[in-house]
Amino acid sequence: MKLTFFTCVIFAVVVVSVKTEEKYTTKYDNINIDEIINNDRLLRSYVDCLLGTKPCTKDGEELKKVLKEALETKCAKCSEAQIEAAKKIGIHLIKNKRPWFDELVEAFDPDHTKLDQYKEDLKAEGVEL
């Protein structure tokens, strides 16, 4: 009887684990995005971190680690806060820092296949590429 109960518990844990969608850490979800986008020096330091030309902060390192996958999956593992932050930063870069945006595109999407996935989303936000 104990073996059967134990087996059922293990099975239930495995099933729940498989069904639980893996998400990125939310540890940095409360970062003040406006503070970053309104400070060229700070924003540029994140761009340089992602490009690998300068050292990263802890949150920048985490972003760098997941960015390619997040772009490929349209942020499938992102929290709502991360999705909103990504939109806000992306739109800001496109509208206000286009050369920086282009540097990131060249580094992370040189053939523009990922960028093409986002064109309709950006258009819905009033942003044309």
Side-chain angles (χ1 to χ4, degrees):
M1 183 73 164
K2 285 183 183 178
L3 184 58
T4 305
F5 177 73
F6 182 71
T7 305
C8 288
V9 169
I10 295 298
F11 178 75
V13 168
V14 169
V15 168
V16 169
S17 296
V18 169
K19 288 191 176 196
T20 302
E21 188 177 324
E22 183 184 336
K23 295 283 187 182
Y24 299 130
T25 183
T26 57
K27 185 159 85 171
Y28 302 107
D29 280 12
N30 293 322
I31 287 178
N32 186 338
I33 297 302
D34 290 324
E35 182 181 325
I36 295 169
I37 64 176
N38 291 317
N39 181 325
D40 282 354
R41 182 190 56 77
L42 189 55
L43 181 58
R44 185 65 213 191
S45 71
Y46 278 95
V47 171
D48 289 339
C49 158
L50 294 172
L51 295 173
T53 58
K54 299 266 173 92
C56 297
T57 59
K58 295 251 187 243
D59 55 320
E61 201 57 58
E62 186 66 30
L63 175 59
K64 188 176 179 178
K65 185 170 73 175
V66 302
L67 185 59
K68 282 184 182 182
E69 179 185 51
L71 289 171
E72 289 169 2
T73 64
K74 288 190 84 172
C75 229
K77 295 181 181 179
C78 294
S79 68
E80 277 303 312
Q82 291 162 348
I83 291 169
E84 291 307 311
K87 279 184 197 175
K88 191 171 203 172
I89 291 172
I91 290 169
H92 176 79
L93 287 170
I94 291 167
K95 288 182 171 181
N96 303 296
K97 301 292 180 188
R98 187 56 189 250
W100 297 2
F101 177 79
D102 292 340
E103 286 179 77
L104 291 167
V105 169
E106 281 308 307
F108 290 93
D109 188 26
D111 60 359
H112 295 206
T113 55
K114 294 176 198 84
L115 190 59
D116 288 343
Q117 294 180 71
Y118 291 93
K119 280 187 178 177
E120 289 304 312
D121 296 335
L122 289 167
K123 194 172 186 177
E125 296 286 336
V127 178
E128 292 287 333
L129 288 175

